[in-house]
């Protein structure tokens, strides 16, 4: 089917956006400290003055409880802005490096420079934070930026478009709203970096499009984040933390949420009891009525999740929850016990309020089980056993890991947040965001003194001897070579 | 069919590599050290074989081979052996007090099985430099050397088979791919890539007044063009930018330096490498075919197709739209572009895609700053060229069209590692207000916690501050 006029207009619009941003970037405006600071301050103002509107948009898109919306999204963005404002001067400073004897005398430093015009493609589950956190990094690093928010969270997308359009510098920071046609048109253009948050299927499409222009990318993807639950632990606290990281994070629609649990056959029932008890404390006897649980984002995902529940391979395995309300797009916190490896729920990223428990005879087997799957964005273990913990850290590869906690590492801006393998490439948060959107350019300075004739043709045996001595760094050999010994 | 059986062999080799990696062998510090030490023995014991292969493929002089390939590799293996323990160790990071008590570490781990696709101009240097990083980081590796340098490719395979652990490190010979194709193929598997590409590396030459500075600058420029694989190097000087008023002096200086370094008959000097093959020779010959380019030649220009030799050639102001000023030259042709003011070099450089390196020969600190902040490139070197390649503390890599990712020194180790975050907590101390059911009181506590207002939290909890 030939592209219709709407698609053509989209492609034209997007091409103009890209060209406009390039000429603004070439003017050097976005490189100045003043511009970066002014933009970061505007973002901070938006986050603080419009907090109510942001919380409302998140309630509208995701039925997100205010407390989750505040602590995960609004606070997340305002603290990133504040950190960037506080640290910008330090981040922008060149890093001096020691240069070796081979290049003596010389001085070296690594200078951070912006990449140019960058594209941030965001997602729907934390639509505010996952759009603006990367944008903060892009601006702090001195780039011009296009943000493409997810159309699946339309209220937040529209709010961001309005607020950024009004308060940010529209010549260098643009928002392009829309769906597949707009994203496709954007990916045809050349960008100096693409930052994508989403799933690995689209991740491949982004990377293929980036390859055409040799554009470097950051892909923040997902995966099945496992939680290994050992015995001899404080089960009540563990249960609370698991619940907190699963259902109190957007009803499990979070890239670092526990996807499945692995525990011993013996311990499983105790775990189920503890989860059941704490879930009732958190959400009451009828969770579908609780205002503290996010809804499923849309009917497509709702149907996807109920299909996992209705898979005949897991019939009879629901031990907690299972209730659903299609009109309200709500699914109660649901735990399934003893699911088989070939069930649907164990073969895709769940991204919802279903938590399967897989049982093993000995807890050590959990590691082998986890390693049959792709590398996840996060892996968790609750244990007091030092040896088990060390084996887990040594043998399981994941973006990040937490022991006795869930998702803690996201809270800290000094830790890089990103995946490995199927869960992604690149990292950000804190200074890592600044670095993700920078080119680290080494600058090596020499004078005209201190020349080593041995480097130049015509080549002679003496020069070879001298070079060998220089490259070995051995002072004695250098002296010997110099004297001609 | 050969292609089909090659695929099956490849599948089996990959399977063996994965098994080796999964066994955990390559992660052991002792394995990494033993492989690096074996690599060192290989470089020291087989230097002659390596030189012979390079002479056959590229006509390289053994001193050039040592200076540019074997020597830097010896340096890099030593650097890796020295730094390995520290590179492998976990780094501590802080967590906010609100998470107390907790601790966090960054642990580097190998990516798994990695592929290194190398080039023909520094066949040993470029393959092994990356391999050093891959081994140091604990990976299994496949090396795919370039088929355009067959003697080196075959020598490399033999050397790796005799010195290294062939269950973990394999060589695959065959025809090569280009960057975009590689990245597109990698996209199918979400494989992260580093692409070390090229570009037109300019050398800005300011009007140098001191004859000493002039002499040194000429030697360095010549060496970085004609003296490094006959200009077939990603970091070789591609073209020169100079002010009109200094240009004729520059040409005379360059001519004199060529004479003094390479003699009356550079071909006989044995100090300049050959062009790699007939196809690249034709490519370079074509760059000179344009009559206006021909007219701009001021020195050299003679071609010997049988011996794949091109004389060091200087051109002044060939047309900027000619092939020689659009594509990466990768050969011993040195265009000199003249400008009204030396500062105009910045605009000129920016009209071309970002290069792997920018060189500037000048004592003017103001000009240096302008160039550094006004242009973007993989790296910048003032008053010299190519030496950034041997600096372990500086990352080596491109930006934009000149590449993605970086290596050398610890950057090689990092390139082949995943830095895994580990955060730990104990079961003691839980802030009860983290959990639902939610209410305004808890929200208020959160606000105080996130503002690190611990006094506020205390007061609220004690009931002395209203939420």
């Amino acid at each position: 089917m030939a592209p219709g006029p709407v698609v053509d207009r989209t492609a034209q619009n997007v091409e103009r956006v890209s060209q406009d941003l390039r000429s603004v970037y070439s003017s050097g405006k976005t490189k100045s400290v003043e511009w970066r600071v002014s933009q970061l301050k505007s973002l901070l103002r938006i986050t603080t003055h419009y907090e109510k509107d942001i919380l409302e948009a998140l309630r509208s898109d995701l039925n997100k409880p205010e407390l989750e919306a505040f602590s995960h999204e609004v606070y997340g963005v305002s603290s990133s802005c504040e950190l960037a404002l506080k640290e910008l001067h330090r981040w922008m400073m060149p890093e001096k490096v020691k240069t070796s004897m081979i290049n003596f005398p010389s001085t070296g430093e690594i200078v951070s420079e912006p990449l140019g015009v960058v594209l941030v493609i965001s997602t729907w589950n934390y639509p505010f934070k996952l759009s603006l956190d990367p944008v903060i990094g892009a601006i702090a690093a001195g780039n011009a930026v296009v943000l493409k928010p997810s159309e699946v969270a339309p209220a937040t997308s529209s709010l961001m478009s309005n607020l950024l359009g009004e308060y940010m510098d529209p010549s260098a920071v643009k928002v392009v709203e829309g769906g597949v046609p707009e994203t496709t048109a954007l990916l045809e253009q050349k960008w100096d970096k693409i930052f994508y948050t989403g799933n690995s299927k689209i991740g491949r499409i982004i990377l293929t499009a980036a390859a055409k222009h040799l554009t470097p990318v950051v892909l923040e993807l997902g995966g099945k984040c496992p939680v290994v639950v050992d015995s001899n632990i404080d089960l009540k606290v563990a249960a609370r933390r698991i619940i907190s990281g699963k259902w109190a994070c957007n009803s499990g629609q979070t890239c670092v949420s526990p996807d499945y649990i692995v525990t011993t056959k013996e311990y499983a029932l105790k775990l189920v009891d503890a989860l059941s008890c704490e879930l009732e404390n958190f959400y009451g006897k009828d969770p579908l009525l609780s205002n503290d649980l996010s809804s499923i984002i849309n009917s497509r995902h709702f149907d996807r999740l109920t299909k996992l529940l209705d898979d005949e391979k897991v019939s009879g395995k629901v031990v907690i929850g299972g209730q659903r309300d299609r009109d309200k797009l709500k699914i109660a916190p649901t735990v399934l016990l003893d699911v088989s490896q070939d069930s649907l729920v164990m073969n895709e990223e769940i991204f919802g309020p279903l938590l399967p428990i897989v049982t093993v005879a000995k807890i050590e087997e959990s590691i082998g089980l986890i390693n049959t799957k792709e590398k996840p964005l996060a892996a968790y273990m609750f244990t007091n056993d030092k040896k088990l913990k060390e084996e887990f850290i040594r043998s399981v590869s994941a973006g990040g890991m937490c022991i006795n906690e869930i998702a803690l590492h996201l809270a800290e801006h000094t830790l890089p947040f990103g995946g490995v393998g199927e869960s992604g490439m690149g990292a950000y948060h804190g200074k890592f965001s600044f670095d993700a959107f920078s080119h680290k350019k080494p600058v090596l300075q020499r004078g005209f003194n201190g020349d080593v004739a041995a480097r130049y043709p015509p080549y002679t045996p003496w020069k070879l001897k001298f070079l060998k001595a220089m490259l070995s760094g051995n002072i004695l050999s250098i002296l010997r070579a110099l004297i001609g010994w | 069919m050969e292609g089909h059986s090659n695929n099956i062999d490849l599948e089996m080799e990959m399977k063996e590599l994965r098994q080796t990696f999964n066994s955990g062998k390559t992660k052991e510090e002792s394995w990494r050290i033993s492989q690096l030490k074996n690599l060192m023995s290989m470089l020291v014991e087989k230097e002659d074989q390596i030189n012979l292969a390079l002479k056959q493929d590229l006509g390289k002089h053994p001193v050039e081979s040592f200076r540019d390939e074997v020597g830097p590799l010896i340096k890099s293996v030593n650097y890796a052996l020295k730094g390995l323990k520290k590179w492998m160790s976990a780094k501590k990071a802080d967590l906010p007090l609100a998470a107390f008590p907790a601790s966090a570490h960054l642990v580097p781990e190998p990516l798994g099985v990695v592929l290194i696709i190398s080039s023909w101009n520094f066949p040993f240097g470029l393959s092994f430099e990356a391999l050093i990083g891959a081994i140091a980081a604990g990976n299994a590796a496949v090396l795919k050397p370039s088929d355009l340098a067959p003697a080196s490719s075959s020598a490399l395979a033999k050397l790796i088979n005799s010195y290294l652990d062939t269950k973990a490190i394999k060589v695959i010979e065959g025809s090569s791919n280009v960057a975009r194709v590689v990245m597109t193929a990698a996209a199918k598997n979400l494989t992260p890539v580093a692409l070390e590409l090229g570009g037109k590396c300019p050398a800005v030459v300011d009007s140098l007044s001191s004859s000493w500075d002039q002499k040194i600058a000429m030697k360095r420029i010549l060496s970085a063009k004609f003296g490094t694989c006959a200009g077939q190097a990603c970091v070789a000087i591609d073209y020169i930018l100079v002010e009109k008023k200094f240009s004729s002096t520059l040409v005379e200086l360059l001519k004199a330096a060529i004479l003094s370094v390479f003699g009356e008959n550079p071909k006989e000097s044995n100090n300049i490498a050959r062009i790699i093959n007939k196809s690249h020779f034709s490519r370079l010959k074509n760059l000179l075919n344009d009559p206006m380019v021909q007219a701009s030649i001021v020195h050299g220009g003679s071609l010997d197709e049988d011996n794949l030799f091109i004389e060091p050639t200087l051109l002044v102001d060939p047309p900027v739209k000619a092939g020689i000023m659009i594509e990466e030259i990768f050969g011993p042709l040195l265009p000199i572009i003249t400008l009204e003011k030396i500062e105009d070099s910045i605009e000129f450089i920016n009209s071309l895609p970002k290069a792997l390196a920018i060189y500037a020969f000048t004592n003017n600190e103001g000009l240096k700053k302008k160039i550094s902040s006004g242009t973007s490139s993989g790296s910048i070197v003032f008053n010299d060229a190519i030496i950034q390649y041997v600096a372990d503390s500086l990352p080596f890599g491109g930006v934009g069209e000149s590449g993605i990712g970086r290596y050398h020194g610890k950057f090689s180790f990092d390139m082949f590692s995943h830095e895994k975050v580990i955060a730990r907590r104990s079961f003691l101390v839980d802030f009860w207000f983290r959990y639902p059911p939610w209410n305004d009181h808890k929200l208020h506590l959160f606000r105080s916690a996130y503002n690190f207002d611990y006094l506020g939290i205390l007061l609220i909890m004690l009931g002395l501050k209203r939420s």
Side-chain angles (χ1 to χ4, degrees):
Chain A
M1 194 186 82
V6 174
V7 176
D8 280 342
R9 248 206 312 280
T10 300
Q12 266 172 24
N13 285 344
V14 159
E15 196 179 339
R16 212 181 34 244
V17 162
S18 161
Q19 282 166 353
D20 288 348
L21 286 172
R22 258 201 204 281
S23 36
V24 170
Y25 177 74
S26 305
S27 75
K29 172 156 72 154
T30 62
K31 286 186 180 182
S32 78
V33 180
E34 293 74 29
W35 182 85
R36 305 184 204 195
V37 167
S38 79
Q39 295 305 289
L40 292 169
K41 283 187 169 159
S42 296
L43 257 176
L44 187 58
R45 214 170 296 130
I46 291 175
T47 312
T48 42
H49 289 184
Y50 290 92
E51 184 185 309
K52 200 157 145 289
D53 302 77
I54 297 166
L55 296 180
E56 255 169 46
L58 291 168
R59 189 48 105 168
S60 160
D61 282 333
L62 293 144
N63 199 18
K64 206 176 264 213
E66 275 72 20
L67 208 131
E68 275 187 45
F70 171 75
S71 62
H72 297 160
E73 302 219 44
V74 174
Y75 169 72
V77 173
S78 63
S79 74
S80 296
C81 281
E82 282 171 349
L83 180 76
L85 282 164
K86 186 164 148 237
E87 298 288 313
L88 189 63
H89 276 97
R90 199 171 63 84
W91 292 351
M92 283 176 72
M93 266 177 7
E95 181 196 331
K96 290 225 178 309
V97 298
K98 251 177 54 178
T99 53
S100 66
M101 179 119 95
I102 298 173
N103 286 328
F104 182 81
S106 59
T107 59
E109 60 180 18
I110 301 175
V111 165
S112 295
E113 56 182 33
L115 290 165
V117 181
V118 305
L119 171 62
V120 174
I121 301 178
S122 177
T123 186
W124 54 261
N125 58 343
Y126 292 83
F128 190 68
K129 177 168 162 68
L130 297 179
S131 299
L132 295 181
D133 252 354
V135 166
I136 289 168
I139 290 175
N143 300 277
V145 54
V146 173
L147 169 64
K148 161 68 189 68
S150 171
E151 73 279 17
V152 177
T156 315
S157 174
S158 160
L159 180 65
M160 282 192 296
S161 181
N162 290 338
L163 290 176
L164 268 70
E166 200 182 320
Y167 289 92
M168 309 286 286
D169 176 356
S171 73
V173 179
K174 294 191 192 288
V175 179
V176 171
E177 286 194 89
V180 172
E182 285 74 15
T183 308
T184 308
L186 283 166
L187 289 173
E188 295 283 308
Q189 298 299 313
K190 177 181 160 78
W191 307 100
D192 297 306
K193 187 125 189 182
I194 298 178
F195 187 107
Y196 169 73
T197 309
N199 67 58
S200 61
K201 181 160 147 262
I202 307 292
R204 283 167 166 77
I205 294 174
I206 306 267
L207 196 49
T208 306
K212 287 199 198 74
H213 297 288
L214 287 180
T215 298
V217 303
V218 171
L219 300 176
E220 294 275 328
L221 310 175
K224 289 182 80 60
C225 302
V227 184
V228 178
V229 180
D230 194 11
S231 39
N232 285 329
I233 56 169
D234 187 331
L235 195 46
K236 195 152 101 156
V237 173
R240 284 192 191 147
R241 290 175 182 177
I242 291 172
I243 296 172
S244 183
K246 176 77 166 181
W247 294 285
C249 278
N250 213 16
S251 265
Q253 299 164 105
T254 302
C255 52
V256 288
S257 270
D259 187 278
Y260 65 100
I261 291 184
V262 188
T263 190
T264 54
K265 290 192 192 328
E266 289 183 76
Y267 204 63
L269 288 173
K270 287 204 192 116
L271 176 59
V272 169
D273 279 340
L275 285 170
S276 177
C277 177
E278 295 304 321
L279 275 168
E280 198 177 309
N281 287 339
F282 285 10
Y283 301 113
K285 280 201 176 349
D286 192 351
L288 287 180
L289 297 177
S290 166
N291 251 345
D292 293 339
L293 271 174
S294 297
S295 301
I296 307 307
I297 181 69
N298 59 24
S299 49
R300 184 170 69 86
H301 278 277
F302 184 92
D303 293 336
R304 179 183 65 79
L305 289 161
T306 48
K307 187 158 161 238
L308 297 179
L309 258 185
D310 296 336
D311 176 15
E312 58 181 25
K313 293 212 172 76
V314 304
S315 73
K317 308 275 188 188
V318 175
V319 291
I320 301 176
Q323 307 99 302
R324 52 198 97 167
D325 181 339
R326 199 171 192 280
D327 294 329
K328 296 213 188 86
L329 289 178
K330 282 199 132 159
I331 298 178
T334 301
V335 176
L336 306 100
L337 178 56
D338 247 337
V339 296
S340 61
Q341 286 300 320
D342 62 351
S343 52
L344 289 173
V345 81
M346 283 308 293
N347 284 291
E348 50 175 89
E349 184 178 359
I350 295 169
F351 223 70
L354 317 179
L355 184 60
I357 300 179
V358 174
T359 56
V360 289
K362 287 193 339 260
I363 198 65
E364 289 78 8
E365 292 167 26
S366 60
I367 291 173
L369 194 154
I370 293 171
N371 282 342
T372 61
K373 298 188 191 308
E374 297 289 350
K375 299 176 187 177
L377 189 52
Y380 306 110
M381 176 175 266
F382 286 86
T383 184
N384 279 318
D385 181 338
K386 191 160 182 273
K387 223 170 126 233
L388 183 68
K389 177 169 61 186
E390 275 163 18
E391 181 61 31
F392 181 63
I393 291 174
R394 190 177 39 239
S395 314
V396 173
S397 182
M401 287 184 154
C402 290
I403 308 294
N404 300 333
E405 190 50 274
I406 304 283
L408 181 63
H409 54 306
L410 272 77
E412 183 42 56
H413 66 83
T414 55
L415 295 172
F417 177 67
V420 63
E422 283 285 312
S423 52
M425 51 184 79
Y428 73 132
H429 284 186
K431 181 173 189 284
F432 301 100
S433 295
F434 176 89
D435 292 343
F437 289 100
S438 298
H439 168 54
K440 301 284 178 182
K441 181 169 74 179
V443 178
L444 185 58
Q445 291 237 31
R446 291 208 74 192
F448 289 104
N449 306 319
D451 204 37
V452 175
R455 323 168 20 186
Y456 309 117
Y459 302 123
T460 66
W462 176 85
K463 287 186 179 181
L464 180 57
K465 228 185 189 149
F466 184 80
L467 279 175
K468 287 194 177 186
M470 277 296 281
L471 281 160
S472 75
N474 185 319
I475 303 274
L476 216 51
S477 338
I478 297 174
L479 283 175
R480 290 223 298 265
L482 273 173
I483 322 174
W485 194 342
Chain B
M1 276 158 286
E2 204 195 284
H4 183 63
S5 69
N6 275 348
N7 277 342
I8 292 183
D9 286 340
L10 186 55
E11 290 270 358
M12 273 173 40
E13 308 265 81
M14 287 302 297
K15 210 163 155 208
E16 185 176 19
L17 286 169
R18 285 237 168 261
Q19 272 169 355
T20 305
F21 179 75
N22 290 338
S23 76
K25 173 159 73 154
T26 63
K27 286 187 185 180
E28 300 290 326
E29 189 181 344
S30 55
W31 182 87
R32 306 184 204 194
I33 290 177
S34 79
Q35 294 304 292
L36 290 171
K37 285 191 166 154
N38 288 348
L39 206 55
M40 179 65 93
S41 305
M42 181 201 85
L43 290 167
V44 168
E45 290 162 17
K46 297 291 196 269
E47 187 185 325
D48 289 338
Q49 265 184 38
I50 294 173
N51 286 343
L52 186 62
L54 288 169
K55 183 105 188 122
Q56 280 180 278
D57 283 332
L58 288 149
K60 267 194 209 188
H61 191 286
V63 175
E64 188 181 329
S65 298
F66 182 83
R67 185 198 66 190
D68 294 344
E69 300 209 49
V70 177
L73 285 174
I74 291 176
K75 162 199 71 67
S76 296
V77 175
N78 275 330
Y79 192 78
L81 281 168
K82 206 164 125 213
L84 190 63
K85 218 185 186 72
K86 186 152 171 267
W87 299 352
M88 282 176 70
S89 61
K91 282 202 306 258
K92 203 161 182 305
D94 290 320
L95 284 169
L97 202 53
F100 181 84
S103 70
H105 290 90
L106 287 166
V107 169
E109 54 180 30
L111 292 169
V113 182
V114 304
L115 170 64
I116 297 169
I117 301 177
S118 179
S119 175
W120 51 260
N121 53 348
F122 297 89
F124 293 93
L126 296 177
S127 308
F128 284 120
E129 196 64 61
L131 188 60
I132 289 167
I135 291 174
N139 300 279
V142 174
L143 206 48
K144 164 63 197 75
S146 171
D147 60 331
L148 293 188
S152 302
S153 189
S154 146
L156 210 140
K158 287 200 187 72
L159 290 172
I160 286 187
N161 285 337
S162 27
Y163 281 86
L164 299 180
D165 178 353
T166 52
K167 287 210 176 351
I169 299 168
K170 295 190 188 290
V171 181
I172 299 213
E173 302 182 71
S175 77
S176 23
N177 275 320
V178 290
R180 280 168 169 80
V181 176
V182 170
M183 196 168 164
T184 307
K188 288 200 197 72
N189 291 315
L190 283 179
T191 300
V193 301
L195 301 172
E196 296 280 328
L197 310 175
K200 292 182 77 63
C201 300
V204 177
V205 182
D206 200 3
S207 311
L208 301 165
S209 47
S210 134
S211 72
W212 172 262
D213 290 357
Q214 288 171 357
K215 191 160 138 248
I216 301 293
M218 292 310 111
K219 275 208 284 192
R220 291 176 180 176
I221 290 170
L222 287 190
S223 186
K225 178 67 158 183
F226 311 113
T228 303
C229 207
Q232 299 164 104
C234 52
V235 283
I237 293 178
D238 188 280
Y239 66 99
I240 288 182
L241 291 164
V242 69
E243 233 174 52
K244 279 191 182 353
K245 69 173 201 277
F246 190 62
S247 61
S248 44
T249 312
L250 177 62
V251 171
E252 291 316 305
L253 287 169
L254 282 169
K255 282 186 188 173
I258 290 174
L259 187 62
S260 111
V261 170
F262 298 112
E264 292 263 355
N265 196 340
K267 191 158 64 179
E268 308 296 318
S269 75
N270 235 358
N271 277 196
I272 303 185
R274 279 197 318 262
I275 307 307
I276 180 70
N277 60 20
K278 280 208 178 346
S279 157
H280 276 276
F281 189 92
S282 301
R283 181 185 61 80
L284 288 162
K285 194 164 141 202
N286 276 339
L287 290 181
L288 293 177
N289 267 349
D290 181 331
M292 289 191 64
V293 174
Q294 267 291 319
S296 71
I297 295 178
V298 296
H299 181 89
S302 71
L303 310 154
D304 178 353
E305 184 146 5
D306 293 330
N307 290 311
L308 293 175
F309 183 82
I310 296 179
E311 198 191 346
T313 301
L314 303 173
L315 309 93
V316 175
D317 281 329
V320 291
K321 291 262 183 292
I324 201 172
M325 281 313 296
I326 295 183
E327 350 171 334
E328 186 177 3
I329 296 169
F330 228 67
L333 315 175
L334 182 55
I336 298 162
I337 305 289
T338 63
L339 307 161
E340 290 301 329
K341 287 188 343 282
I342 197 63
E343 287 80 6
D344 296 341
S345 54
I346 292 167
E347 200 186 319
F348 191 95
I349 292 171
N350 287 342
S351 69
L352 292 166
K354 297 178 188 176
L356 189 52
I358 292 176
Y359 304 111
F361 291 83
T362 178
N363 287 317
N364 181 336
E365 293 302 322
L367 180 62
K368 286 183 192 174
K369 279 205 182 66
K370 279 207 186 96
I371 294 176
S372 181
S373 60
T375 62
S376 179
S377 57
S379 63
I380 293 192
V381 183
F382 292 114
N383 299 328
D384 210 329
I386 304 192
I387 52 163
Q388 74 274 28
Y389 185 79
V390 290
D392 297 310
S393 54
L394 292 175
F396 183 81
V399 64
E401 287 284 316
S402 53
I404 297 177
R406 58 205 198 153
Y407 71 138
H408 286 186
K410 180 170 189 288
F411 302 102
S412 295
F413 176 91
D414 291 340
M415 178 167 74
F416 288 106
S417 299
H418 165 57
E419 211 173 28
K420 183 168 73 181
V421 171
I422 320 254
R424 292 168 226 257
R425 286 205 78 194
S426 80
F427 288 104
L428 307 169
V429 186
D430 225 12
F431 287 127
W432 52 274
F433 56 85
R434 331 172 14 181
Y435 305 118
W438 304 130
N439 52 48
D440 283 340
H441 181 66
K442 288 184 180 178
L443 180 58
H444 200 70
L445 278 165
F446 259 116
R447 284 186 201 279
S448 301
Y450 281 133
N451 281 324
F452 300 114
D453 178 11
Y454 298 110
L455 184 60
I457 297 177
L458 196 57
L459 293 175
I460 295 174
M461 292 199 335
L462 292 173
L464 293 175
K465 189 171 169 182
R466 254 223 324 234
S467 59

